[in-house]
Each structure stands twice: as structure tokens, then as C-alpha cells.
């Protein structure tokens, strides 16, 4: 977790966060074990997230660039064959969908659906929020910070993308992980595969600094 020497040109590396969500770990709430393989260009090639406290869906998701996302049970020796995350009710439209932001206080500035529709609160850390988006529990997630740590985000981004969703900076640009830390314009914006283009447009627009 941030202790390896600088990467050489073209060198792949593993990025591990053994406990994302320390508060959740200490209080018996959600936390995530995350692992990603990042190539020499800063692109996540493999991502795995495990949520020990998860009960509604299989607690492990694994993504491989260009090959989709699979779900695994703890101790399982093969992926779950049926779709683990069915189409959510919010995808049918109507009211503003559930969404997430970090840090929570950033809602004062980032309001994609207006002041009357605050984000859901999910403890703890960024990875659990990527897990929620990949699983369809939230339409999207805005990490409303521009200077970030690779181990908090690399595995989450690829899991959302390989689940059929999208992940970018606020301008729709690629998010890369060139080192231990990285910078993104406006922050990271990710959307579930069930989120409409209008929902994505609102999330991107709200993350844009004015």
C-alpha cells in the first residue's frame, strides 16, 4: 500500500488495499479488500473486490479488462453462473435515483439532482461505493476530489466498467493510475450500466468545477 519503489517504464504492478474503510472495519460495518493489476500506462487490467459483510449478493466481484465481471462466493472454486445483480427498480425512471458521493460534505457543492435529492450514505471508504454501483444499488458515484490514491480506486473503476458501467473524470476522460497517487479533472464519476444517459450527464455536470 504505497511502499513499492517507483515503477519502471512499461512495468506492471499489483495495487493492494487490505482494508478500505477502516472505520467500517473497526465498527463492524462495511469494508472492502481490494486488489488491482495496473499496466505500465496506468490502466487497470484486473480488479477484485471482496466485502466480508456482504449478504445480499456474492461477496466477491472480479473483473478482467475486456472480459467482463464475475461474482464469486467466499470459498467458492467457480464463479456464480446466474446474474448476481438483477435490474434495480430505480432503473425504470421516475424520481431521482440513489447515488453516492465522497466526501459526504461535498454535497454542498455537488448536487446533480438538486438540493432535495441528497446522496445515500454508505460506510465506509470509496471501494464500497464502487461495489454498490457495479451491483446496481446506486446509479452513480462521484469522488469529488482531484488528488487521489491509486489503491483506493483502481480495482473499483475496472469493476464498474466491466460490469457494463462507465468511469471517467468530469469531462468524460480516461482515468489512469500512473503511480501511487493520480489526478483527475473534477474527480471520478462512475455510473451503473442501468443509469440513463441523462443521469450520467447530470453526474458529470455536477462534478465540473465552476
Amino acid at each position: 500500500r504505497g511502499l513499492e519503489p517507483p515503477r519502471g517504464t512499461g512495468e506492471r504492478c499489483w495495487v493492494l488495499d487490505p482494508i478500505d474503510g477502516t472505520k467500517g472495519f473497526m465498527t463492524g460495518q462495511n469494508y472492502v479488500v481490494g486488489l488491482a493489476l495496473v499496466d505500465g500506462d496506468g490502466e487497470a487490467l484486473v480488479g477484485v473486490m471482496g466485502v466480508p459483510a456482504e449478504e445480499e449478493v456474492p461477496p466477491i466481484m472480479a473483473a478482467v479488462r475486456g472480459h467482463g465481471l464475475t461474482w464469486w462466493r467466499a470459498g467458492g472454486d467457480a464463479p456464480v453462473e446466474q446474474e448476481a445483480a438483477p435490474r434495480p427498480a430505480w432503473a425504470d425512471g421516475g424520481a431521482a435515483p440513489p447515488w453516492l458521493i465522497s466526501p459526504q460534505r461535498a454535497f454542498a457543492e455537488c448536487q446533480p439532482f438538486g438540493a432535495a435529492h441528497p446522496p445515500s450514505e454508505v460506510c465506509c471508504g470509496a471501494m464500497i461505493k464502487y461495489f454498490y454501483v457495479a451491483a446496481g444499488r446506486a446509479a452513480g458515484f462521484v469522488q469529488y476530489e482531484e488528488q487521489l490514491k491509486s489503491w483506493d480506486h483502481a480495482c473499483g473503476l475496472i469493476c464498474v466498467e466491466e460490469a457494463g458501467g462507465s468511469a471517467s473524470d468530469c469531462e468524460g476522460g480516461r482515468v489512469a493510475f500512473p503511480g501511487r497517487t493520480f489526478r483527475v479533472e473534477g474527480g471520478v464519476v462512475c455510473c451503473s450500466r442501468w443509469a440513463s444517459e441523462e443521469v450520467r450527464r447530470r453526474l458529470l455536470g455536477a462534478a465540473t468545477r465552476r
Side-chain angles (χ1 to χ4, degrees), residues 11 13 27 39 42 55 58 65 69 75-76 78 89 92 99 108-109 118 131 135 142 162-163 169 173:
E11 182 182 356
C13 75
T27 59
D39 71 10
E55 296 181 347
R65 179 71 61 190
L69 180 137
D92 295 328
W99 68 287
E109 299 177 28
F131 190 96
V142 178
E162 292 301 315
D169 65 17

Side-chain angles (χ1 to χ4, degrees), residues 140-165:
F141 165 46
V142 178
Q143 178 67 57
Y144 197 67
E145 295 171 307
E146 297 185 311
Q147 295 288 341
L148 300 165
K149 298 176 177 67
S150 294
W151 55 80
D152 287 333
H153 300 275
C155 63
L157 259 76
I158 187 174
C159 283
V160 169
E161 290 177 328
E162 292 301 315

Side-chain angles (χ1 to χ4, degrees), residues 64-77:
V64 178
R65 179 71 61 190
H67 294 276
L69 180 137
T70 54
W71 296 81
W72 298 71
R73 302 193 189 283
D77 57 3

Side-chain angles (χ1 to χ4, degrees), residues 12-91:
R12 294 180 176 185
C13 75
W14 291 99
V15 180
L16 171 67
D17 192 342
I19 300 176
D20 185 70
T22 305
K23 178 183 176 182
F25 175 75
M26 297 297 292
T27 59
Q29 301 180 73
N30 283 321
Y31 70 95
V32 181
V33 180
L35 178 67
L37 176 63
V38 178
D39 71 10
D41 295 322
E43 182 172 43
L45 303 177
V46 176
V48 182
M49 289 195 290
V51 185
E54 179 58 46
E55 296 181 347
E56 295 181 22
V57 298
I60 300 169
M61 59 173 63
V64 178
R65 179 71 61 190
H67 294 276
L69 180 137
T70 54
W71 296 81
W72 298 71
R73 302 193 189 283
D77 57 3
V80 177
E81 293 187 5
Q82 73 271 21
E83 185 174 21
R87 178 183 173 88
W90 59 259

Side-chain angles (χ1 to χ4, degrees), residues 166 191-204:
S166 63
C191 296
S192 164
R193 68 170 168 148
W194 290 287
S196 68
E197 186 57 37
E198 173 62 14
V199 166
R200 182 170 184 266
R201 184 188 67 78
R202 284 176 173 267
L203 290 168
L204 290 169

